[in-house]
Amino acid sequence: MSNALSLAWRTLVRRPRRLLLFIAGVTVAAAVLIDMVMLAEGLQRSLSDLLEETGYQVRVVPKGTLPFETEAAILHSTRVAAAFSADPRIADVVPLWGRTIYASSPGAEAVATFGYGAPAGTAPTLRLRVGRTLERLGEVVINRDLAERFRLSPGDSLLVGLEPDPAVGALRSRRVVRVSGVADFMFAAAGSATLALTLEDLWALAGTTSEPAALLMIRVAADANPYAVARELRGRDTSVDVYAIPEIIEAAGDRLTYFQQLSLVLGTVSLGVAFLLVTTLLTLSVNERWGEVAALRALGVTRGRMLAQVAWQGLMISAAGTVAGIAAGLIIARYLDGILTSFPGLPVNLSFFVLDRNDALLAIGLLVVTGLLAGLYPAWRAASVNIAAVLREEIE
Amino acid sequence: MKSVVAEARALHRTYMRGDTPVRAIRGIDITIQAADYVAILGPSGCGKSTLLNLLGGIDIPTAGSVRLLGHDTRELSDRRLTRLRLEKVGFVFQRFHLLPALSAAENVELPMAEAGLPRPRRRARAEDLLDYVGLSHRVDHRPGQLSGGEMQRVAIARALANKPALILADEPTGELDQDTGAEIGELFLRLNRDGTTLVIVTHDTSLARPATVVHRMRDGALQTEAKP
Amino acid sequence: MAQPLPELLLENRTAVNLEISIGDTVWISGLDTQERPFVVVGTYRRPADPSTVTLRDYRATFHLSDLQELLGAGDRVDRFSVLLRPGASRDAVIAEIDRLAFGADALATEKVAAATSETFRVVSRFHRALAGITITGAAVFLLCLVVLKLEERRLEGASMRDVGISRRTLFLWMFSETLVMAGIGTAIGLVLGWVGSALINAYFRRLYDTSMAFARVTEELALLVAFIGLATGVVVGTLAGLGLVRSRSSRLRQL
């Protein structure tokens, strides 16, 4: 085998410029394949990681919706949360609500922000940067965009209210709150002004008494199975949908069909291109070396060894293209991710291109198998050469 | 009495060129004995190379038989026939057919590597063989750096690699000038004197001159047999 | 005599999923308002809006006053659409509204369109980037094929030079062959693209229950693709042609 390997290598490097060009071709194909594999499930993985990071494994949302997809709400959420909390398998339940809130500071124009409401003392979707989280009524946590816009830091005051009322020339239902901290909001869109109030403050500001929540986040006990908990809660209350994290990703899957289809099509095309490149090169290489192949067979090189030699060449080209393609693919993925993550309204922490170890191995495996299959036809031609006929034709 | 290395009986070989059958060999009987220097002369297209290929187990007869070192070539599987060629037959081609990516020594090592000889032993033998053919100073040169005569010497060294019982050479001086051809002729003569059985197909009468047996071929048949 | 029930229209998918038919009465509540009955007087297909096509939310359309009452929103609205009288200055009207209406932003139609079409500009940038990668790959592929052809032709080319064939003829020989290859590839690519777009549209229209076109091979696009394909052929063909004529015949024969 090592002889076939060594011969395959020496034969390939005989024409280094041509080899490099073909490896470049396979590299482009491999890079596209790697990118498509990263894209196919990238957003789901990224979203799943983000949801997992909150530490809450189950989401309860109004029937037929996904979190914050519509203004639909679970009413009397305190009561619903308390009922869920009674279950010994549930460690914590956090209701969250959100709506547009206007924020203003003296001398500055009011800006529309997305206002979250969470129970005091909880902050499952915040990454605190400065100060502390919400601990009592009348406090607000703001994101860095808002902090920079109004030059605020913990301890400063902020005016919040509902939409501006043209009749009175001021924000409706306005009140002053104190900044307790500055944080990154995990699900906030890049460049958007975002703030969090206590749920009670947000309800009061909105003038609602029905204690609405856009979703309930549930942390299950250490020994409990999130799927089992979600399944049972689903059966208990038919007015809500209950999802464990993988289930919510699956429910959102329709939105991502485009990326999966695109990945499938482009990934398949790139494999096809890699296949054609390797087959073309090796077939031509065998044709060029026809006399040499016949002579080797005459000298006692077996068919199997001949086949192995050409097959090794296919593998080597695809392996080299794969290694270079992974590197190129990662660079291209960063560039493409930069484009796609500029989608308006997309949480800043999401990525479309995520490299998963198993998927990377799958892509590498596909490329190697493609290289091997692509080498089979020329290898078979080399192995089944009619020695006498080729030597005869050469002389003629 | 000398042992028989190869023999053909009532040998026929017909192959197709497009739709036309070509009767290349028409009922040849021939015996090659150990230490013979056999020259087969004849015009182009008379079937010399086909006969050589049949004797070496590269080609299989349409009718009749070839016994190579006691084995009927039609009865051997491709694998066994390939092994027999590797271990017992050396080939020298008109166009040398050295692997351009390998050095002279590596080309000579190739059949030994195929036969499973360990690297240090085959390297030493390759150097000895290159020394034997007068190329000890060209061991690490690639074919592209060698002259035609030198390439053919490397090919001869390669043919000797596995100590074959028979060397078959097909127009070994066909691509060489007269002086270089004469040098290769001398090398063959030395080989034969050292005990190697040789069958050479050639146009070159100077190569046939030292042969112990000379066959003339015309239209697929052996016309004369002479022992000078 | 009883008051007639307020009316609403239901979006098709909502009606189908909730098994509601025209003439049915549905009970709907706002956040802090009592449930009240509405009669379904019709259904409609969701507008073919790319920005909402993937959403699975339920939709209904009310009379404005009914919706305001349902939500307890008083006389509030999200936005006004303003139709100017002929000859009125749009910029002046926008400035006036901004000055008078506290908390309201007046926006020209194209600004609204630009803001709502940002998603599609991103998609467009993404597709252009993919096209760039594809063109690079195709160019490398074509170059590979031409290099192989070139190597195959070198000896022939050398012989032709020896018998007096001009460099110009040799160049045109290689160049035109490459161009023909690029042309055939482009034509096949266009046909595949057209078939592909039909399949894509059929699939996504079915998936999202919409009449939208997701992929379209327009005349301009076909011309652009043909231009890029042939331009690639011209560049690669020139390189290949030069490669063939620049080598000396004595050197070619050594290869």
Side-chain angles (χ1 to χ4, degrees), chain A residues 74-368:
Chain A
I74 298 167
L75 300 186
H76 311 295
S77 57
T78 311
R79 205 169 62 217
V80 178
F84 285 150
S85 298
D87 190 319
R89 295 168 306 170
I90 291 176
D92 190 21
V93 183
V94 173
L96 290 180
W97 193 47
R99 60 158 297 160
T100 302
I101 293 290
Y102 284 77
S104 172
S105 118
E109 201 174 328
V111 295
T113 71
F114 191 81
Y116 286 95
T122 66
T125 63
L126 302 185
R127 291 176 185 147
L128 210 61
R129 294 289 170 190
V130 188
R132 56 171 176 74
T133 188
L134 303 169
E135 280 179 5
R136 59 183 74 93
L137 295 177
E139 290 184 340
V140 65
V141 173
I142 56 176
N143 76 344
R144 286 193 276 185
D145 288 292
L146 206 52
E148 280 164 25
R149 185 184 295 250
F150 292 132
R151 300 178 192 286
L152 295 173
S153 34
D156 291 342
S157 296
L158 180 70
L159 181 72
V160 293
L162 300 183
E163 61 280 346
D165 189 340
V168 293
L171 296 179
R172 209 160 59 79
S173 184
R174 61 193 176 279
R175 65 183 59 196
V176 174
V177 286
R178 204 175 62 81
V179 176
S180 70
V182 178
D184 291 333
F185 288 66
M186 287 162 62
F187 296 96
S192 66
T194 312
L195 57 81
L197 298 166
T198 65
L199 205 44
E200 290 81 354
D201 277 341
L202 189 63
W203 286 333
L205 202 62
T208 176
T209 53
S210 52
E211 299 183 347
L215 83 153
L216 303 179
M217 295 174 65
I218 294 180
R219 187 167 61 229
V220 301
D223 57 345
N225 178 345
Y227 285 99
V229 171
R231 194 169 52 242
E232 200 194 305
L233 295 184
R234 236 181 335 253
R236 207 189 288 178
D237 185 346
T238 55
S239 69
V240 294
D241 279 333
V242 187
Y243 297 108
I245 288 172
E247 293 169 332
I248 210 163
I249 300 294
E250 198 185 324
D254 268 5
R255 322 282 165 78
L256 309 171
T257 307
Y258 163 75
F259 294 110
Q260 285 159 346
Q261 301 289 333
L262 183 78
S263 306
L264 183 69
V265 171
L266 280 186
T268 309
V269 169
S270 61
L271 273 179
V273 168
F275 180 90
L276 281 177
L277 275 171
V278 176
T279 301
T280 310
L281 175 65
L282 294 186
T283 304
L284 196 98
S285 166
V286 167
N287 288 350
E288 271 174 2
R289 299 168 51 229
W290 213 223
E292 198 179 296
V293 169
L296 281 172
R297 288 279 291 121
L299 289 172
V301 174
T302 60
R303 281 188 174 154
R305 196 72 68 128
M306 210 68 241
L307 192 125
Q309 199 201 114
V310 180
W312 269 120
Q313 291 179 28
L315 272 178
M316 283 172 179
I317 295 172
S318 60
T322 302
V323 171
I326 289 173
L330 291 175
I331 293 166
I332 295 170
R334 274 181 74 103
Y335 165 62
L336 294 177
D337 204 39
I339 293 175
L340 286 181
T341 49
S342 61
F343 267 128
L346 196 74
V348 70
N349 295 302
L350 280 186
S351 283
F352 283 78
F353 292 83
V354 177
L355 188 62
D356 173 75
R357 197 175 64 100
N358 289 341
D359 283 353
L361 288 176
L362 172 76
I364 291 169
L366 278 173
L367 284 162
V368 169

Side-chain angles (χ1 to χ4, degrees), chain B residues 38-155:
Chain B
V38 180
I40 301 174
L41 295 166
S44 288
C46 71
K48 306 185 299 286
S49 296
T50 305
L51 177 61
L52 198 77
N53 290 344
L54 289 163
L55 287 174
I58 285 176
D59 202 357
I60 300 296
T62 315
S65 67
V66 171
R67 292 191 75 80
L68 179 58
L69 295 155
H71 301 279
D72 187 331
T73 57
R74 281 183 312 182
E75 289 172 4
L76 293 178
S77 65
D78 181 75
R79 177 181 286 270
R80 288 190 60 197
L81 199 53
T82 303
R83 193 74 194 173
L84 186 67
R85 288 199 302 268
L86 177 70
E87 291 173 349
K88 301 294 180 193
V89 185
F91 285 93
V92 178
F93 306 101
Q94 180 176 344
R95 292 192 176 165
F96 327 131
H97 286 312
L98 300 176
L99 298 194
L102 305 185
S103 68
E106 286 167 333
N107 266 291
V108 178
E109 281 184 58
L110 194 71
M112 294 185 265
E114 193 65 18
L117 208 66
R119 180 183 280 268
R121 281 180 59 197
R122 64 185 195 234
R123 179 71 190 188
R125 180 159 169 76
E127 285 175 3
D128 286 350
L129 286 169
L130 286 170
D131 186 36
Y132 179 80
V133 298
L135 288 178
S136 54
H137 59 300
R138 297 294 223 174
V139 170
D140 293 319
H141 287 71
R142 299 235 173 141
Q145 299 166 303
L146 302 176
S147 68
E150 287 174 325
M151 281 198 270
Q152 196 58 297
R153 284 169 190 269
V154 176

Side-chain angles (χ1 to χ4, degrees), chain A residues 20-101:
Chain A
L20 283 177
L21 189 59
F22 273 79
I23 288 177
V26 177
T27 299
V28 175
V32 173
L33 181 70
I34 293 284
D35 285 345
M36 291 306 111
V37 163
M38 289 169 76
L39 177 65
E41 302 283 330
L43 194 55
Q44 285 98 316
R45 289 217 170 81
S46 179
L47 184 58
S48 179
D49 289 346
L50 213 52
L51 292 171
E52 296 277 6
E53 194 187 325
T54 62
Y56 289 73
Q57 307 92 338
V58 175
R59 303 288 187 282
V60 183
V61 291
K63 190 86 179 167
T65 69
L66 291 172
F68 293 107
E69 184 183 59
T70 68
E71 289 175 18
I74 298 167
L75 300 186
H76 311 295
S77 57
T78 311
R79 205 169 62 217
V80 178
F84 285 150
S85 298
D87 190 319
R89 295 168 306 170
I90 291 176
D92 190 21
V93 183
V94 173
L96 290 180
W97 193 47
R99 60 158 297 160
T100 302
I101 293 290

Side-chain angles (χ1 to χ4, degrees), chain C:
Chain C
M1 194 174 144
Q3 283 274 86
L5 291 177
E7 299 169 342
L8 62 75
L9 298 173
L10 275 184
E11 186 252 334
N12 273 339
R13 193 162 49 202
T14 309
V16 170
N17 285 1
L18 299 178
E19 297 176 356
I20 299 170
S21 310
I22 294 172
D24 285 355
T25 300
V26 293
W27 291 76
I28 300 179
S29 69
L31 200 57
D32 290 295
T33 55
Q34 286 292 315
E35 275 189 339
R36 64 191 67 186
F38 288 83
V39 63
V40 179
V41 294
T43 59
Y44 65 96
R45 195 168 200 182
R46 185 182 292 238
D49 177 358
S51 64
T52 59
V53 71
T54 63
L55 295 179
R56 292 286 188 186
D57 55 340
Y58 294 146
R59 290 187 175 200
T61 300
F62 300 84
H63 291 295
L64 178 62
S65 55
D66 290 342
L67 184 64
Q68 285 172 329
E69 197 177 329
L70 185 68
L71 296 179
D75 193 25
R76 287 198 302 279
V77 293
D78 287 326
R79 63 181 67 91
F80 291 101
S81 296
V82 179
L83 181 67
L84 301 183
R85 288 186 196 285
S89 159
R90 188 176 64 175
D91 291 344
V93 171
I94 287 173
E96 185 66 5
I97 294 174
D98 279 343
R99 191 177 66 80
L100 290 177
F102 170 76
D105 273 334
L107 298 168
T109 309
E110 57 265 27
K111 265 198 172 178
V112 177
T116 52
S117 63
E118 177 56 25
T119 303
F120 305 103
R121 280 202 291 278
V122 172
V123 170
S124 175
R125 278 206 300 275
F126 177 61
H127 285 174
R128 274 204 294 272
L130 283 182
I133 296 166
T134 312
I135 291 167
T136 308
V140 173
F141 191 54
L142 186 62
L143 203 58
C144 287
L145 291 180
V146 169
V147 162
L148 293 181
K149 278 235 162 279
L150 189 63
E151 288 179 356
E152 196 183 301
R153 292 292 162 78
R154 284 187 171 224
L155 265 179
E156 246 176 287
S159 309
M160 289 172 81
R161 288 281 297 134
D162 286 351
V163 298
I165 303 293
S166 69
R167 285 177 187 274
R168 185 169 172 277
T169 307
L170 275 185
F171 175 85
L172 286 176
W173 180 38
M174 200 69 209
F175 176 81
S176 52
E177 197 170 310
T178 309
L179 202 57
V180 167
M181 263 201 297
I184 293 173
T186 303
I188 294 174
L190 278 171
V191 172
L192 284 179
W194 182 78
V195 172
S197 68
L199 291 174
I200 287 167
N201 284 333
Y203 176 82
F204 282 106
R205 280 174 179 166
R206 195 179 148 85
L207 181 73
Y208 295 130
D209 186 24
T210 176
S211 57
M212 266 173 53
F214 291 80
R216 192 180 280 160
V217 182
T218 60
E219 202 173 302
E220 293 79 25
L221 185 67
L223 285 173
L224 178 69
V225 167
F227 172 75
I228 291 172
L230 293 177
T232 308
V234 167
V235 172
V236 175
T238 305
L239 290 174
L242 290 176
L244 190 64
V245 299
R246 277 190 177 167
S247 306
R248 286 196 310 276
S249 61
S250 56
R251 182 172 135 53
L252 289 178
R253 263 192 300 276
Q254 287 167 9
L255 294 168

